[in-house]
Amino acid sequence: MSAKAFPDIQPEQRLLIDGQLVPAASGNTYNNINPADNSVAGVCADAGVADMERAIAAARRAFDETDWSTNHAFRAKCLKQLRDALKAHADELRYQMVAEIGCPLGLTYGPQTDLPISFIDWTIELMEQYEWERELPTVNVVGVPSKRLVWKEAAGVVAAITPWNFPLQINLAKVIPALAAGCTVILKPAPDTPWTATFIGKMVAEHTDIPAGVFNVVTSENPAELGDMLTGDPRVDVVSFTGSTGIGKHIMKRGADTVKKVFLELGGKSAHIILDDADINFAAFMCISVCFNAGQGCALATRLLAPRSHYEKIVEVAKNTFDSVKLGDPLSREQFMGPLVNKRQQQRVLQYIEQGKAEGARLVCGGVVPAGLEQGCYVAPTIFADVRNDMTIAQEEIFGPVLCIIPYDTEEEAIQIANDSIYGLSGAIFSKDQERALRVARQIRTGTMNINGAAFFAADAPFGGYKQSGVGREMGLEGFEEYLQTKTVAIPG
């Protein structure tokens, strides 16, 4: 569906640099493509080196020369202003997000818009109650009684580099804690979803007292050049990145030269483990999560580990579940799954499907572009059965609506298969015996886990992974403290 059919879609096209909403210095813009039909939804500023230089300089100056990092009450006031503005203008954002991401409109009333805005309250409450200073007991060191003070201080200038799959949620998950901690921020969104970031910039510029330079938004069609500027610049103290493991490795190397704090939330290939005593119908139905946001979620459990004793039943229920997922108009409030974000991602997913067939996996359903939706970036919900865990489709992150069903014989084998991955981000376990499920969960090397349909995702829950799924945590207390440094001071006791 063309963006022309969207009501009141007036996206912010400008950058936010040093407190001003401005075009790119070159005047360049680039097209923002609607993945539902590959039409041009609109344009956004295409920033260059000069724009990023201004943003970095502004963020550095704002951190060094204002009291933003130390004035906790003022920060809380400004974040409340931003929260209120985002809530008041959320309906303007919904259609922009549908146009640039392709997510169904109904998801904007949950994890794509309303839920992440609601999470701001938790961070504000945390910063207002946080123990910024504490005192350690007096000790006698080399004859000098010493009292020690521990201070928590803002880490400095933050480069927040975000992906396109859940842009508002991830933008806010980085920006709000960083600002609450007293940092200044340069937000560089994925080129596919610039408006979700420029919208935040507009809210900051027009509805808050956040000082110039504290928050900056720089959009660009070429993510590599400006990303390398951010990650290598000595004026940037922290890099917070969500995206692919390959780019995460590159960022780690870039940050090493100036020994930056680096947070990385990277890929996943999580296991959905159905134990042999589970409610098979419910446990297999829950594989529908793989179709959520067209499978474009790093924490989705895309490997379904099925006990051989119930294997064909699980395959049957999974197939019926995937066959029930309807595709079409993203503006439908009832729509569950939309298109992939762009043609490049669509082709990537289709290539993995061909790889799965070539390696001998059994294609149960899907695997094609749905009839009548060829203009868009759709892929039908796809299931492979009889997958071995050493197959490419079982080891690599596809980032599309593709489920791999892998048989196992014993609980120990299921644990071994789940852990046989370079990733360790999330997972799910189903069993009628909750203690058994918890025992298995303790043996899975992964950062989050859902048991029997429960969901960990909330503002207070730290999110991140083991192994090549990342470094550090986002959200929760642990995510807030990613943006802090610790100073210990001794005075005579």
Side-chain angles (χ1 to χ4, degrees):
M1 173 175 287
S2 168
K4 293 178 181 178
F6 286 57
D8 301 320
I9 180 168
Q10 298 177 331
E12 177 56 62
Q13 302 174 9
R14 295 169 292 179
L15 315 171
L16 176 63
I17 299 179
D18 205 7
Q20 300 295 315
L21 293 168
V22 295
S26 64
N28 291 342
T29 62
Y30 71 99
N31 291 336
N32 198 3
I33 303 300
N34 181 345
D37 61 5
N38 278 296
S39 63
V40 177
V43 301
C44 198
D46 189 8
V49 170
D51 301 297
M52 185 58 81
E53 170 60 33
R54 286 187 56 218
I56 295 172
R60 185 76 259 169
R61 185 178 64 251
F63 186 81
D64 293 340
E65 299 179 10
T66 75
D67 70 346
W68 178 258
S69 66
T70 56
N71 193 334
H72 305 320
F74 177 62
R75 294 204 306 274
K77 170 193 167 186
C78 290
L79 289 177
K80 290 173 184 176
Q81 292 171 335
L82 177 55
R83 172 203 61 197
D84 293 345
L86 290 169
K87 286 183 177 179
H89 295 270
D91 286 343
E92 300 170 24
L93 179 60
R94 299 187 198 282
Y95 296 98
Q96 297 177 30
M97 296 186 72
V98 174
E100 70 176 1
I101 308 169
C103 70
L105 181 63
L107 294 188
T108 71
Y109 291 89
Q112 286 285 18
T113 303
D114 289 354
L115 197 59
I117 292 174
S118 73
F119 286 175
I120 298 174
D121 288 327
W122 186 87
T123 304
I124 293 172
E125 183 177 345
L126 171 65
M127 70 165 293
E128 290 181 325
Q129 299 177 355
Y130 189 72
E131 188 178 25
W132 296 95
E133 300 183 5
R134 72 180 191 272
E135 184 176 313
L136 300 178
T138 299
V139 296
N140 194 315
V141 181
V142 293
V144 180
S146 301
K147 180 166 66 175
R148 284 82 42 74
L149 310 175
V150 178
W151 299 342
K152 293 290 188 178
E153 299 179 341
V157 176
V158 172
I161 304 174
T162 58
W164 41 256
N165 58 332
F166 289 93
L168 184 68
Q169 190 273 315
I170 298 173
N171 287 344
L172 293 180
K174 296 183 187 302
V175 167
I176 298 300
L179 294 177
C183 297
T184 59
V185 178
I186 303 136
L187 173 61
K188 191 187 83 64
D192 303 277
T193 51
W195 293 341
T196 312
T198 57
F199 179 83
I200 302 173
K202 182 180 177 71
M203 295 300 102
V204 167
E206 297 183 352
H207 299 283
T208 78
D209 296 322
I210 293 176
V214 166
F215 180 61
N216 306 270
V217 179
V218 182
T219 61
S220 174
E221 188 174 21
N222 179 358
E225 181 179 37
L226 300 191
D228 278 351
M229 278 188 70
L230 275 175
T231 55
D233 197 298
R235 294 169 293 179
V236 174
D237 302 291
V238 180
V239 177
S240 182
F241 170 77
T242 297
S244 72
T245 294
I247 300 300
K249 292 176 181 178
H250 174 73
I251 286 173
M252 271 193 108
K253 293 173 183 175
R254 293 282 299 168
D257 288 341
T258 50
V259 197
K260 300 184 191 305
K261 287 190 74 173
V262 176
F263 163 78
L264 302 173
E265 195 277 287
L266 307 175
K269 195 69 180 179
S270 302
H272 173 145
I273 305 173
I274 300 178
L275 296 176
D276 56 12
D277 66 342
D279 179 333
I280 297 302
N281 287 314
F282 173 68
F285 170 79
M286 290 302 290
C287 73
I288 197 171
S289 64
V290 172
C291 300
F292 180 69
N293 204 41
Q296 298 168 127
C298 52
L300 298 178
T302 53
R303 292 183 296 154
L304 193 160
L305 277 52
R308 207 175 295 275
S309 57
H310 300 294
Y311 187 73
E312 291 303 331
K313 175 66 173 177
I314 289 169
V315 172
E316 177 189 359
V317 174
K319 179 184 184 302
N320 292 339
T321 300
F322 271 42
D323 285 345
S324 72
V325 175
K326 306 302 180 185
L327 304 177
D329 181 8
L331 288 180
S332 167
R333 287 285 296 271
E334 288 72 41
Q335 202 74 33
F336 180 74
M337 175 180 154
L340 295 159
V341 73
N342 55 38
K343 279 291 184 184
R344 183 179 65 255
Q345 185 64 19
Q346 180 196 43
Q347 290 305 307
R348 182 176 186 270
V349 172
L350 291 172
Q351 287 168 8
Y352 271 112
I353 290 170
E354 292 304 310
Q355 181 79 20
K357 291 191 288 187
E359 292 184 352
R362 171 166 49 114
L363 183 64
V364 175
C365 64
V368 298
V369 176
L373 296 173
E374 292 87 355
Q375 277 194 301
C377 302
Y378 294 88
V379 172
T382 301
I383 294 176
F384 280 105
D386 306 339
V387 177
R388 299 189 317 273
N389 200 53
D390 62 354
M391 289 181 177
T392 302
I393 57 171
Q395 286 296 314
E396 296 187 11
E397 184 178 44
I398 297 173
F399 226 60
V402 181
L403 177 69
C404 299
I405 304 183
I406 303 170
Y408 73 87
D409 291 303
T410 67
E411 179 181 302
E412 292 73 20
E413 184 185 7
I415 293 167
Q416 184 274 324
I417 293 172
N419 285 330
D420 182 17
S421 171
I422 65 169
Y423 300 112
L425 187 57
S426 193
I429 301 173
F430 291 85
S431 170
K432 289 180 180 177
D433 183 344
Q434 184 167 292
E435 288 305 313
R436 181 187 182 192
L438 288 168
R439 185 182 73 246
V440 171
R442 290 184 185 278
Q443 298 176 73
I444 308 298
R445 291 186 52 76
T446 188
T448 57
M449 186 67 74
N450 297 316
I451 292 177
N452 290 333
F456 68 84
F457 185 67
D460 58 351
F463 175 64
Y466 291 19
K467 300 186 281 186
Q468 293 189 37
S469 284
V471 177
R473 292 295 180 270
E474 193 150 77
M475 304 172 63
L477 174 62
E478 289 82 355
F480 177 69
E481 291 184 332
E482 293 283 349
Y483 300 104
L484 296 174
Q485 288 283 16
T486 302
K487 180 180 290 182
T488 304
V489 178
I491 59 177

